[in-house]
């Protein structure tokens, strides 16, 4: 099954499950996901896309459209999308400002590119989006923290 078909199947099952069951918890969001031997390098990566209002709007469109992120992370970024409901651990809640303070953009990029081992967060670059689109979405994900 292709990537998009898999996500759509997850959405269908998730809509059913979210109506009947409670949502799983996140795995500790403050612990790094990048393997120790690549962490320093990931932290040093700079986001080449500026966080202007225009680029954040582009990120929102990608998050809710082509990127399929919304299916798991939810429209409000709380990790409560229809497919997210069946995942254990639960998708990241991007409204948690403590999480954003702990992570550099490069660490988020690393996970979007490589996935987070043992979770529903699979590699999405280049399966669903380009590297530049990933950086663009990161700016939008940051905007869910309102502090
Ligand atoms: C099939 C469900 C699913 C989809 C689709 C999905 N994610 Fe995730 N995502 C997850 C889960 C589950 C986690 C939590 C992983 C963990 O705890 O290690 C996560 C975690 C993350 C994280 C946190 C990484 C960290 O450092 O802790 C980022 C950033 C992220 N996703 C970005 C995205 C982006 C961008 C998209 C769309 C291009 C996307 N995700 C699509 C399920 C998904």
């Amino acid at each position: 099954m292709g990537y998009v078909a898999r996500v759509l199947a997850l959405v269908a099952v998730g809509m059913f499950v979210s109506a009947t069951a409670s949502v799983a918890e996140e795995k500790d969001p403050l612990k790094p996901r990048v393997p120790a031997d690549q962490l320093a390098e990931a932290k040093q990566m700079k986001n080449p896309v500026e966080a202007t209002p225009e680029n954040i709007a582009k990120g929102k469109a990608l998050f809710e459209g082509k990127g399929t992120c919304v299916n798991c992370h939810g429209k409000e970024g709380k990790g409560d999308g229809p497919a997210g409901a069946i995942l254990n651990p639960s998708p990241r809640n991007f409204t948690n400002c403590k999480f954003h303070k702990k992570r550099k953009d490069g660490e988020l990029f690393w996970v979007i590119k490589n996935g987070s081992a043992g979770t529903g967060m699979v590699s999405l670059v280049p399966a669903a989006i380009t590297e530049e689109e990933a950086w663009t979405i990161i700016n939008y994900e940051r905007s869910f923290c309102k502090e």
Side-chain angles (χ1 to χ4, degrees):
M1 221 188 317
Y3 170 71
V4 172
R6 264 187 292 144
V7 168
L8 289 178
L10 265 178
V11 170
V13 177
M15 280 175 170
F16 173 72
V17 173
S18 59
T20 55
S22 61
V23 175
E25 277 186 36
E26 274 181 287
K27 200 164 109 188
D28 186 350
L30 304 184
K31 290 213 175 105
R33 293 297 187 265
V34 180
D37 61 338
Q38 295 175 57
L39 191 54
E41 198 187 332
K43 283 187 177 188
Q44 272 171 11
M45 293 182 85
K46 289 271 175 291
N47 190 335
V49 178
E50 239 189 292
T52 60
E54 193 191 32
N55 285 335
I56 290 173
K58 276 188 199 158
K60 176 177 163 68
L62 288 163
F63 181 90
E64 294 177 359
K66 187 182 176 195
T68 71
C69 324
V70 72
N71 292 320
C72 292
H73 291 280
K75 204 161 160 66
E76 312 290 325
K78 291 182 185 155
D80 58 355
I86 56 164
L87 295 176
N88 188 359
S90 174
R92 186 68 64 251
N93 173 0
F94 294 122
T95 66
N96 177 3
C97 296
K98 284 190 194 138
F99 164 73
H100 290 289
K101 286 194 190 103
K102 276 273 174 190
R103 292 281 202 283
K104 300 281 186 208
D105 281 2
E107 295 178 81
L108 302 187
F109 180 81
W110 191 97
V111 169
I112 299 168
K113 192 163 176 181
N114 298 286
S116 178
T119 79
M121 181 66 201
V122 297
S123 160
L124 295 170
V125 174
I129 51 172
T130 66
E131 294 200 347
E132 193 184 340
E133 286 169 337
W135 289 115
T136 305
I137 297 176
I138 287 170
N139 288 334
Y140 177 60
E141 287 178 341
R142 295 293 197 192
S143 76
F144 285 118
C145 160
K146 300 296 181 200
E147 251 170 38

